């Protein structure tokens, strides 16, 4: 799968830009604050209707403008696709695949997928559980439409329940609605738990191999999934998970009412990462946590390839300059066989050795730069 072309109108600092990409390697270089990350962000948005760094679509629209348009020409599963997204400041976005309106972003993910990798991801192990849940959710939403739907339903029910508990002090009548939202949480939450557990199982084995390779076989990485404590085996059937989740919720009923917080559910999940049997978050060196994060991100790409039969696009934002030569080599050895986008700063020469196209970005304008190839 690959993206052959992109066209951006009023997207971030791009006013009107069309670019044709190389099928294998695209290096994007330029000074700070010129639009390198914005370009990767646009590619990511077309692949899943979401940007890792934007809290809302409005941030993606150029300052002073009312709307933005992104178009991508994509080749996947031996067919051409055209993907279009229109973002508005005042109303909901619109998405199309081949001129047919798409109801949800899953329809974009069904066309092509991206794995985005930025320097903050190297801190994935050190950060709080929310960062690791985000990692799981991003990957799973692109891989499984069922997961995206269950997660959205879970989040809606969670937001309602949180409001009910919070406002029940003033309006005790709200508590009558609690059973309904608890049931919605159980129905969608059990799917979320099941799919996260399955994904983690494959992720753990791929990441262990990557980590062993990158550490020269000296270290063992183990990754496991931690969810609601009453669920001993999150790989169990969904019907079983529902009952165990329901039991947990019931045993926390009183605590939820008195704290007025939603205490039970997969919104508190985590990935437990260990190196040689010790919690990596607490005990690992910087180099070890970076290696483990690399192993996880590259495992994500391998899983997509395994599931869809085609390598997803790899978007490397400023990552190479953050890595020592051994880890750079490890990444570069693994990026073959799919389309890659690499951003780097003006004087970073390394990726120029990769072949493919080189683009220079200055103030929201991209130019192919044959001189640097
Ligand atoms: P760095 O090397 O520092 O990472 P970069 O080339 O990746 O830089 P980008 O993150 O792509 O830079 O941002 C480029 C510019 O886009 C920034 O100056 C930023 O202020 C601008 N920008 C961000 N959002 C918008 C927006 N909604 N409208 C217009 N400009 C924006
Ligand atoms: Mg950047």
């Amino acid at each position: 799968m690959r993206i052959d072309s992109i066209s951006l109108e009023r997207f971030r600092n791009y006013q009107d830009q069309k670019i044709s990409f190389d099928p294998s390697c695209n290096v994007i270089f330029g000074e700070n604050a010129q639009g390198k990350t914005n370009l990767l962000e646009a590619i990511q948005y077309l692949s899943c209707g979401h940007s890792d760094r934007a809290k809302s679509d409005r941030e993606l629209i150029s300052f002073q403008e009312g709307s933005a348009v992104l178009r991508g020409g994509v080749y996947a599963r031996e067919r051409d696709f055209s993907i279009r997204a229109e973002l508005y400041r005042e109303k909901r976005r619109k998405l199309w695949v081949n001129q047919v309106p798409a109801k949800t972003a899953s329809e974009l993910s069904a066309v092509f997928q991206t794995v985005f990798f930025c320097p903050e991801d190297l801190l994935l192990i050190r950060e709080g559980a929310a960062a690791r849940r985000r990692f799981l959710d991003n990957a799973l939403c692109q891989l499984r439409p069922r997961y995206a739907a269950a997660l959205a339903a879970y989040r809606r029910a969670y937001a309602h329940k949180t409001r009910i508990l919070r406002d029940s002090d003033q309006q005790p009548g709200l508590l009558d609605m609690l059973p309904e939202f608890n049931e919605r949480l159980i129905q969608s939450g059990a799917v979320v738990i099941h799919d996260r557990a399955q994904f983690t199982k494959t992720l753990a084995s791929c990441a262990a191999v990557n980590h062993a390779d990158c550490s020269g076989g000296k270290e063992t990485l183990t990754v496991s999934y931690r969810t609601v404590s009453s669920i001993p085996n999150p790989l169990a059937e969904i019907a079983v998970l529902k009952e165990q989740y329901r039991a947990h919720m019931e045993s926390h009923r009183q605590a939820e009412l008195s704290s007025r917080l939603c205490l039970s559910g997969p919104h508190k999940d985590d990935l437990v990462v260990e190196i040689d049997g010790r919690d990596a978050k607490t005990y690992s060196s910087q180099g070890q946590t970076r290696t483990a994060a690399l192993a996880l991100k590259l495992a994500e790409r391998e899983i997509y390839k395994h599931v869809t039969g085609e390598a997803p696009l790899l978007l490397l934002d400023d990552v190479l300059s953050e890595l020592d030569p051994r880890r750079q080599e490890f990444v570069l050895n693994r990026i073959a066989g799919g389309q890659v986008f690499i951003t780097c700063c003006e004087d970073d020469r390394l990726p120029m050795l990769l072949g493919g196209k080189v683009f220079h970005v200055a103030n929201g304008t991209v130019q192919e730069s044959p001189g640097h190839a």
Side-chain angles (χ1 to χ4, degrees), residues 265-280:
H267 56 278
K268 301 172 87 179
D269 284 358
D270 199 359
L271 277 180
V272 181
V273 180
E274 292 173 326
I275 296 172
D276 293 334
R278 287 201 180 82
D279 182 23

Side-chain angles (χ1 to χ4, degrees), residues 3 5-12 14-15 17 38-51 57 60-62 67-73 82-88 93-97 108 112:
I3 184 162
S5 61
I6 199 167
S7 134
L8 304 175
E9 293 167 41
R10 304 175 302 281
F11 176 85
R12 296 258 192 211
Y14 289 99
Q15 271 314 299
Q17 179 73 55
N38 293 348
L39 182 55
L40 297 194
E41 184 179 38
I43 298 172
Q44 182 187 42
Y45 196 92
L46 284 168
S47 77
C48 61
H50 159 90
S51 150
D57 284 350
L60 304 173
I61 301 168
S62 299
S67 67
V69 184
L70 299 82
R71 289 193 197 86
S82 68
I83 299 183
R84 176 181 167 101
E86 287 188 10
L87 317 180
Y88 306 98
R93 70 174 178 197
K94 290 185 188 155
L95 307 170
W96 291 265
V97 175
L108 307 191
F112 81 115

Side-chain angles (χ1 to χ4, degrees), residues 195-257:
D195 288 1
R196 283 181 179 171
Q198 280 220 316
F199 180 79
T200 306
K201 189 174 162 211
T202 321
L203 182 78
S205 62
C206 288
V209 173
N210 287 344
H211 191 93
D213 280 0
C214 190
S215 67
K218 285 197 286 264
E219 295 170 1
T220 310
L221 177 75
T222 37
V223 180
S224 50
Y225 171 55
R226 186 164 63 204
T227 184
V228 179
S229 62
S230 64
I231 296 178
N233 173 22
L235 286 164
E237 282 179 33
I238 289 179
V240 175
L241 298 178
K242 281 181 189 167
E243 288 322 303
Q244 293 172 342
Y245 178 14
R246 182 171 286 118
H248 189 266
M249 202 181 259
E250 275 160 18
S251 69
H252 286 72
R253 207 181 104 80
Q254 210 45 54
E256 285 189 332
L257 290 175

Side-chain angles (χ1 to χ4, degrees), residues 108-319:
L108 307 191
S109 300
V111 176
F112 81 115
Q113 299 94 35
T114 51
V115 171
F116 194 102
F117 197 172
C118 63
E120 291 88 86
D121 290 326
L122 293 168
L123 306 172
L124 184 65
I125 314 293
R126 282 278 164 90
E127 289 198 19
R132 286 179 294 282
R133 281 196 298 276
R134 211 161 34 242
F135 168 69
L136 283 178
D137 291 342
N138 274 350
L140 275 161
C141 283
Q142 291 194 67
L143 279 172
R144 306 196 70 159
R146 162 180 112 164
Y147 184 84
L151 185 66
Y154 184 84
R155 285 183 173 153
R156 277 194 304 274
Y158 175 79
H160 275 289
K161 179 171 172 178
T162 304
R163 274 199 301 274
I164 290 172
L165 289 168
R166 190 193 57 203
D167 298 342
S168 59
D169 200 24
Q170 310 287 334
Q171 299 164 264
L174 284 174
L175 290 174
D176 294 346
M177 293 194 297
L178 211 48
E180 183 194 331
F181 287 104
N182 279 341
E183 194 52 35
R184 287 190 201 179
L185 285 169
I186 289 165
Q187 297 301 326
S188 53
V191 175
V192 168
I193 292 170
H194 179 268
D195 288 1
R196 283 181 179 171
Q198 280 220 316
F199 180 79
T200 306
K201 189 174 162 211
T202 321
L203 182 78
S205 62
C206 288
V209 173
N210 287 344
H211 191 93
D213 280 0
C214 190
S215 67
K218 285 197 286 264
E219 295 170 1
T220 310
L221 177 75
T222 37
V223 180
S224 50
Y225 171 55
R226 186 164 63 204
T227 184
V228 179
S229 62
S230 64
I231 296 178
N233 173 22
L235 286 164
E237 282 179 33
I238 289 179
V240 175
L241 298 178
K242 281 181 189 167
E243 288 322 303
Q244 293 172 342
Y245 178 14
R246 182 171 286 118
H248 189 266
M249 202 181 259
E250 275 160 18
S251 69
H252 286 72
R253 207 181 104 80
Q254 210 45 54
E256 285 189 332
L257 290 175
S258 47
S259 66
R260 292 202 271 123
L261 292 170
C262 182
L263 300 174
S264 177
H267 56 278
K268 301 172 87 179
D269 284 358
D270 199 359
L271 277 180
V272 181
V273 180
E274 292 173 326
I275 296 172
D276 293 334
R278 287 201 180 82
D279 182 23
K281 193 168 185 271
T282 317
Y283 295 110
S284 294
S285 74
Q286 264 195 11
Q288 284 176 314
T289 50
R290 284 174 159 241
T291 304
L294 257 179
L296 284 173
K297 287 300 287 195
L298 295 176
E300 182 190 354
R301 182 169 184 254
E302 288 156 27
I303 294 173
Y304 283 42
K305 193 170 173 185
H306 187 71
V307 171
T308 67
E310 293 182 89
L313 279 54
L314 186 60
L315 311 175
L316 298 176
D317 191 16
D318 262 336
V319 189

